[in-house]
């Protein structure tokens, strides 16, 4: 019998199937803190090659993991148990653009920002804009149902995916969804988005493109109390406005960013709030006035409205480079991602500070306040003995607090390995079984990125998690 | 909301075939099965979270009336129940601007074929915790589980909402307008629904050469075609139609070509049905996929 490596080399060519130790080590992990082990890394360039690779893996009963740029933060693309890594990075073409109907067909390895740049001359963009958009692939966005600051108004990736050509785990090439609005049958497209590589591999993606706004206004407020900033966010939403983005940074984060980019951010404020509204000029003018009034009523110290595109870009640069700025303080960070009801933001932030203090960790908060999407960032030096235990303990407490106030495990990073064993905090046995049923239906082989997302049956068999009123 | 009684009505695998009915505005009751109804009523409206929590049996009109009091609405088609609208999964003519109905469902508690209450999704506007079972439920026509209560994303009501019309080419109109809520075309006249600030609406209408219309055109209600929006131009039509530009729904008096499902897609549907309803007791006879 031939080996899997031989089969793969026959299928897609020797030079695109790599087994060298150095190369394998590059693919052992994604951007999370989890390290696995890959046995083979391969680089298919067509749908047919992806199909051949999957069929070969199935034939050899070998698990495989699809991978884009490896920017995932939850370990979703970390290969376990010597899984085959299937890199889609070489399938990165923009296939076609229908400017009239605002749709485009792309390959999964196309970078998020490259798509937006390619359609900019048409007055269009791809709305999901994760902070990693310069380097993450749209295939990865599909796998994680990625978000970004502008998803408050525009919705997450799922709302922008029209159709998917997918190689299912048994090797069939199918179309999920379609360019037509009501494709036949169940919404398999919707089920596939966010399935973290466990339902098959997307090889072509039809995305919805969004009209660029004719007018944009970006405002910056700063507060003496974090609570005032958070309450401003709730008040804006309750007043019937859905700004394009509502982003918040606490003091430690603001200081780090200001040291890094010198945007003139107020480093003595407890929190700063970046608000962006876009649309037609009259509605926009109205909204800017109402938002400023709300911020003032909640005690903003200053009102800064970006005067030109350069100033707007500078304010956004502060938000988007926050993570880079942190390296100046400590060499390592652990980024969390939970969502809580907006009105619980002040309460949960206080818990986060308390938890970090108790574990003697530095914490910074930079987050999508409009969605209630928290990103507490624990900063540390992993060379310090015993620190990882404290980091993990604090992280778990933050997740538990978020769930306890009616929040969810992840807003945009996904579950992967990181949150897999926390799933029973949010879902009862019957709920998890329904998700496992989806997985079994899509992947009867159980070889597509196994052991991610769903906790092992032992950990989800804990009957204490079943809420009262459930039928068991 | 307590679903114990509803779950008891649905029963378990030994309790025979069971069908769900709302207000029978979307096809009516299935013959030959015991019929159950989901509880109605609004549990909570949270305008600062942009969510509403209600029973699947709540009438959409009742829900929107209650939401109007806080200046919000849900983008579900009018009439019938919330559960019925979600189970059918068909958006109304505001889909271009409001997005498809499938994006409105954040969390669902449904009763499974085994009579268990199961939760899908989460209560926040942003959530990627686990597989997206909510998307599978919208449009599943009660074949995977019966919706009990749901959390929906709301949206602010616009201060001005006005229909316009023109005899200009619908694609020129569509390209000129900034995010119209709806653009409809019957082969000769184009209608557009604009929402927002009164001055913006007026300026947009002037820019595209639109004139005030009494309202939306009457839709040929007999049949609903679903075609790629790029093919609408070639609607060299026999029979009357109203097409949703930029979307691809065509309301027609004649019936659509029958669709034939791909074999692998049909097999996947079969596996999903088997996983969720192995004894085929939920809404028997209903098949979301053409065979």
């Amino acid at each position: 019998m031939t080996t899997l490596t031989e089969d793969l080399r026959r299928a897609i060519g020797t030079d695109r199937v790599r087994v060298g130790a150095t190369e394998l080590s590059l693919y052992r992990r994604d951007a999370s803190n989890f390290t696995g082990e890959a046995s083979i890394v391969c680089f298919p360039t067509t749908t047919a090659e992806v199909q051949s690779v999957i069929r070969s893996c199935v034939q050899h009963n070998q698990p495989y993991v699809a991978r884009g740029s490896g920017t995932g933060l939850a370990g979703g693309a970390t290969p376990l148990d010597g899984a085959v890594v299937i890199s889609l990075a070489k399938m990165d073409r923009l296939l076609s653009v229908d400017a009239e109907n605002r749709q485009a067909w792309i390959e999964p390895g196309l970078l998020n920002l490259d798509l937006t740049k390619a359609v900019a001359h048409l007055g269009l963009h791809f709305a999901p804009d994760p902070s990693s958009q310069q380097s993450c692939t749209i295939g990865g966005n599909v796998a994680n149902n990625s978000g970004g600051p502008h998803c408050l108004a525009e919705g997450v990736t799922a709302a922008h995916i029209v159709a998917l050509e997918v190689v299912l785990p048994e090797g069939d090439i199918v179309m999920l969804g379609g360019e037509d609005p009501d494709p036949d049958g169940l919404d398999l497209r919707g089920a596939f988005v966010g399935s973290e590589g466990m339902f098959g591999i997307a090889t072509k993606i039809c995305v919805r493109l969004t009209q660029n706004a004719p007018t944009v206004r970006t405002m910056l407020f700063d507060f003496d109390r974090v609570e005032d900033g958070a309450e401003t966010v709730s008040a804006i939403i309750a007043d019937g406005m859905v700004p394009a983005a509502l982003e918040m940074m606490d003091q430690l984060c603001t200081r780090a960013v200001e040291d890094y980019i010198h945007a003139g951010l107020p480093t003595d404020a407890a929190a700063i709030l970046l608000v962006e509204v876009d649309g037609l000029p009259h509605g926009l003018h109205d909204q800017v006035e109402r938002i400023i009034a709300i911020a003032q009523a909640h005690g903003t110290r200053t009102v800064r409205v970006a005067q030109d595109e350069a100033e707007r870009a500078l304010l956004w640069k502060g938000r988007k480079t926050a993570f880079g700025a942190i390296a100046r303080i400590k060499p390592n960070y652990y980024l969390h991602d939970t969502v809580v009801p907006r009105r619980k933001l002040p309460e949960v932030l206080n818990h986060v500070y308390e938890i970090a203090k108790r574990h003697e960790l530095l914490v910074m908060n930079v987050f999508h306040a409009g969605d209630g999407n928290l990103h507490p960032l624990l900063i540390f030096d992993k060379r310090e003995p015993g620190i990882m235990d404290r980091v993990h303990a604090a992280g778990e407490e933050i997740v538990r607090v978020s769930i306890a106030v009616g929040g969810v495990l992840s807003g945009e990073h996904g579950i992967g390995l990181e949150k897999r064993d926390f799933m029973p905090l949010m879902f009862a046995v019957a709920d998890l079984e329904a998700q496992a049923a989806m997985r079994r239906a899509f992947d009867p082989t159980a070889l597509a990125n196994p052991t991610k997302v769903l906790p092992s049956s032992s950990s989800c068999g804990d009957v204490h998690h079943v809420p009262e009123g459930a039928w068991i | 909301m307590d679903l114990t009684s509803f779950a008891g009505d649905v029963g378990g695998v030994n309790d025979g075939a069971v069908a769900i009915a709302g207000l029978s505005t979307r096809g009516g009751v299935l013959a030959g099965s015991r019929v159950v109804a989901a509880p109605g009523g609004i549990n909570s409206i949270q305008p600062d979270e942009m969510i509403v929590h209600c029973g699947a049996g709540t009438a959409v009109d009742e829900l929107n009336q209650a939401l109007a009091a806080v200046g919000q609405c849900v983008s579900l088609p009018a009439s019938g129940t919330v559960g019925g609208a979600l189970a059918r999964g068909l958006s109304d003519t505001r889909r271009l601007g409001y997005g498809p109905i499938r994006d409105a469902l954040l969390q669902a508690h449904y009763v499974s074929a085994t009579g268990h209450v199961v939760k899908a999704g989460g209560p926040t506007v942003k959530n990627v915790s686990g597989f997206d079972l909510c998307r599978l439920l919208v449009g599943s026509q009660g074949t995977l589980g019966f919706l009990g209560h749901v959390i929906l994303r709301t949206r602010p009501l616009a201060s001005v909402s006005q229909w316009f019309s023109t005899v200009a080419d619908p694609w020129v109109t569509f390209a000129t307008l900034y995010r119209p809520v709806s653009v409809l075309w019957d082969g000769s006249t184009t209608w557009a629904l604009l929402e927002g600030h009164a001055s913006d609406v007026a300026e947009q209408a002037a820019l595209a050469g639109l004139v005030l219309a009494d309202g939306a055109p009457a839709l040929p209600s007999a049949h609903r075609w679903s075609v790629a929006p790029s093919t609408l131009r070639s609607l060299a039509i026999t029979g009357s139609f109203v097409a949703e530009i930029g979307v691809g729904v065509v309301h027609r008096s004649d019936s659509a070509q029958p669709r034939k499902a791909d074999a692998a897609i049909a097999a996947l549907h079969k596996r999903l049905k088997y996983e969720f309803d192995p004894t085929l007791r939920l809404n028997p006879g209903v098949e979301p996929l053409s065979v």
Side-chain angles (χ1 to χ4, degrees):
Chain A
M1 190 170 154
T2 54
T3 66
L4 177 56
T5 307
E6 287 164 352
D7 284 356
L8 292 173
R9 288 191 160 153
R10 198 168 302 127
I12 69 170
T14 303
D15 58 337
R16 285 193 277 110
V17 178
R18 319 291 291 205
V19 293
T22 311
E23 273 180 296
L24 292 183
S25 74
L26 292 174
Y27 290 86
R28 283 185 308 181
R29 51 180 296 186
D30 53 17
S32 72
N33 290 320
F34 297 95
T35 303
E37 193 186 345
S39 57
I40 303 170
V41 181
C42 54
F43 301 88
T45 56
T46 64
T47 302
E49 288 186 353
V50 172
Q51 181 184 43
S52 298
V53 169
I54 288 183
R55 285 192 165 150
S56 297
C57 288
V58 171
Q59 213 166 14
H60 289 266
N61 198 33
Q62 177 73 22
Y64 54 89
V65 183
R67 180 186 178 97
S69 298
T71 56
L73 291 162
T78 297
L80 297 175
D81 306 323
V84 172
V85 172
I86 304 174
S87 168
L88 284 311
K90 294 190 190 302
M91 294 176 68
D92 61 350
R93 290 177 302 164
L94 171 57
L95 300 170
S96 64
V97 178
D98 176 358
E100 189 162 70
N101 295 290
R102 299 176 190 134
Q103 293 182 348
W105 279 96
I106 62 152
E107 290 183 329
L110 181 64
L111 301 186
N112 176 301
L113 194 58
D114 285 354
L115 172 59
T116 284
K117 283 179 180 166
V119 297
H121 68 287
L122 301 167
L124 300 170
H125 67 286
F126 182 56
D129 61 340
S131 293
S132 57
Q133 72 181 135
Q134 293 184 32
S135 48
C136 64
T137 65
I138 295 174
N141 297 162
V142 167
N144 273 349
N145 197 7
S146 303
H150 287 90
C151 289
L152 171 59
E154 308 289 0
V156 290
T157 298
H160 303 276
I161 301 301
V162 173
L164 296 158
E165 179 193 80
V166 167
V167 182
L168 291 173
E170 290 183 301
D172 295 300
I173 298 168
V174 294
M175 185 65 70
L176 308 183
E179 288 185 43
D180 61 318
D182 298 320
D184 200 13
L186 299 167
D187 183 11
L188 302 176
R189 170 213 63 89
F192 187 90
V193 177
S195 61
E196 302 200 25
M198 296 173 71
F199 288 5
I201 297 181
T203 47
K204 290 193 182 80
I205 303 168
C206 184
V207 300
R208 196 163 71 81
L209 300 171
T210 302
Q211 269 177 302
N212 294 346
T215 333
V216 180
R217 282 283 175 279
T218 306
M219 291 159 269
L220 190 77
F221 305 108
D222 59 320
F223 300 91
D224 280 329
R225 301 187 324 145
V226 173
E227 292 90 330
D228 294 335
E231 280 161 16
T232 301
V233 171
S234 284
I236 290 170
I237 303 282
D239 200 41
M241 290 180 280
V242 186
L246 269 169
E247 298 287 308
M248 211 160 130
M249 278 199 271
D250 69 3
Q251 187 176 52
L252 199 51
C253 194
T254 306
R255 285 181 178 169
V257 167
E258 181 56 24
D259 283 351
Y260 191 51
I261 64 159
H262 311 294
L265 301 177
T267 50
D268 57 337
I272 64 171
L273 182 65
L274 187 69
V275 185
E276 184 161 285
V277 288
D278 63 18
L280 294 164
H282 299 286
L284 205 62
H285 182 77
D286 240 34
Q287 288 194 24
V288 168
E289 286 193 340
R290 281 157 66 198
I291 289 168
I292 290 174
I294 288 169
Q296 285 171 336
H298 287 84
T300 187
R301 307 187 319 172
T302 55
V303 173
R304 176 172 171 187
V305 182
Q307 293 305 308
D308 51 31
E309 185 53 33
E311 190 176 1
R312 172 178 176 259
L314 189 61
L315 293 179
W316 271 111
K317 191 179 172 197
R319 168 61 184 87
K320 292 216 171 190
T321 57
F323 300 140
I326 281 148
R328 300 163 64 95
I329 300 171
K330 295 265 185 182
N332 306 104
Y333 68 77
Y334 197 114
L335 174 63
H336 279 273
D337 164 49
T338 66
V339 185
V340 300
R342 285 179 196 94
R343 70 193 131 81
K344 299 284 189 184
L345 278 172
E347 176 188 337
V348 175
L349 282 168
N350 281 334
H351 278 297
V352 169
Y353 290 127
E354 184 274 318
I355 290 165
K357 193 175 172 190
R358 192 154 32 76
H359 290 280
E360 296 173 23
L361 293 165
L362 277 178
V363 66
M364 292 183 183
N365 284 285
V366 45
F367 58 99
H368 311 308
D371 301 311
N373 191 180
L374 282 173
H375 284 323
L377 201 60
L378 300 170
I379 312 147
F380 56 94
D381 183 340
K382 71 177 176 191
R383 292 168 299 187
E384 196 180 312
I387 190 128
M388 288 315 293
D389 291 341
R390 274 150 53 205
V391 168
H392 287 299
E396 177 166 349
E397 285 183 41
I398 289 170
V399 170
R400 286 180 182 274
V401 161
S402 302
I403 301 290
V405 300
V408 301
L409 288 169
S410 174
E412 53 186 13
H413 297 173
I415 299 299
L417 285 172
E418 184 200 24
K419 301 248 175 83
R420 181 190 65 188
D421 295 334
F422 294 148
M423 286 283 276
L425 292 178
M426 186 172 158
F427 295 109
V429 174
D431 311 338
L432 290 171
E433 169 50 26
Q435 294 191 32
M438 289 173 75
R439 156 76 164 168
R440 287 194 297 269
F442 271 92
D443 182 13
T445 71
L447 293 173
N449 207 11
T451 71
K452 307 285 175 66
V453 181
L454 298 171
S456 62
S457 51
S458 56
S459 61
C460 73
D462 185 350
V463 290
H464 299 297
H465 291 304
V466 182
E468 283 183 19
W471 273 49
I472 292 294
Chain B
M1 294 181 89
D2 186 16
L3 291 178
T4 310
S5 159
F6 179 46
D9 294 345
V10 175
V13 286
N14 297 320
D15 295 313
V18 58
I20 187 150
L23 292 170
S24 298
T25 55
R26 294 181 174 81
V29 174
L30 289 170
S33 299
R34 198 160 47 79
V35 176
V36 297
I42 298 167
N43 194 40
S44 70
I45 293 176
Q46 297 171 42
D48 57 342
E49 304 293 338
M50 286 204 305
I51 59 171
V52 60
H53 183 191
C54 69
T58 312
V60 174
D61 295 341
E62 176 196 333
L63 184 62
N64 271 328
Q65 264 173 29
L67 285 168
V70 296
Q72 295 188 350
C73 66
V74 288
S75 46
L76 265 50
S79 83
T81 62
V82 167
L86 292 169
R88 285 296 282 147
L90 299 176
S91 310
D92 67 17
T93 54
R94 299 168 301 171
R95 173 171 172 158
L96 181 66
Y98 287 6
I101 184 173
R102 63 188 185 220
D103 292 340
L105 181 63
L106 300 176
Q107 180 179 288
H109 280 81
Y110 67 91
V111 177
S112 73
T114 53
H116 293 104
V117 176
V118 180
K119 180 177 80 174
T124 55
V125 291
K126 200 172 183 187
N127 171 31
V128 292
S129 310
F131 301 138
D132 202 347
L133 181 50
C134 281
R135 285 330 119 231
L136 212 50
L137 292 170
V138 176
S140 65
Q141 301 182 32
T143 59
L144 303 180
F146 291 168
L147 295 174
H149 58 87
V150 296
I151 294 178
L152 302 172
R153 183 181 181 148
T154 61
R155 48 179 301 119
L157 283 170
S159 52
V160 169
S161 180
Q162 176 65 48
W163 281 97
F164 296 88
S165 70
T166 175
V167 290
D169 178 83
W171 281 273
V172 173
T173 306
F174 180 47
T176 306
L177 296 170
Y178 178 69
R179 302 204 183 186
V181 175
S182 186
V183 177
L184 305 177
W185 178 58
D186 73 352
S188 54
T189 302
T190 301
W191 288 264
L193 176 61
L194 303 183
E195 292 190 343
H197 190 284
S199 304
D200 289 327
V201 169
E203 283 181 15
Q204 285 280 299
L207 187 69
L210 307 177
V211 296
L212 280 176
D214 290 337
L219 302 177
S221 58
H223 298 282
R224 178 187 172 104
W225 294 34
S226 170
V227 303
S230 56
T231 65
L232 287 175
R233 220 183 250 291
S234 60
L235 278 176
I237 290 287
T238 52
S240 62
F241 74 95
V242 172
E244 299 182 21
I245 303 298
V247 175
V249 173
V250 189
H251 305 269
R252 296 182 65 148
S253 50
D254 53 338
S255 59
Q257 296 288 322
R259 297 199 263 200
K260 180 91 178 79
D262 168 84
I265 290 289
L268 179 48
H269 275 79
K270 202 169 253 182
R271 288 200 298 272
L272 282 163
K273 177 68 175 173
Y274 173 78
E275 288 285 352
F276 282 85
D277 180 18
T279 61
L280 313 179
R281 62 184 295 260
L282 301 179
N283 273 2
V286 174
E287 176 50 74
L289 187 73
S290 312
V291 284

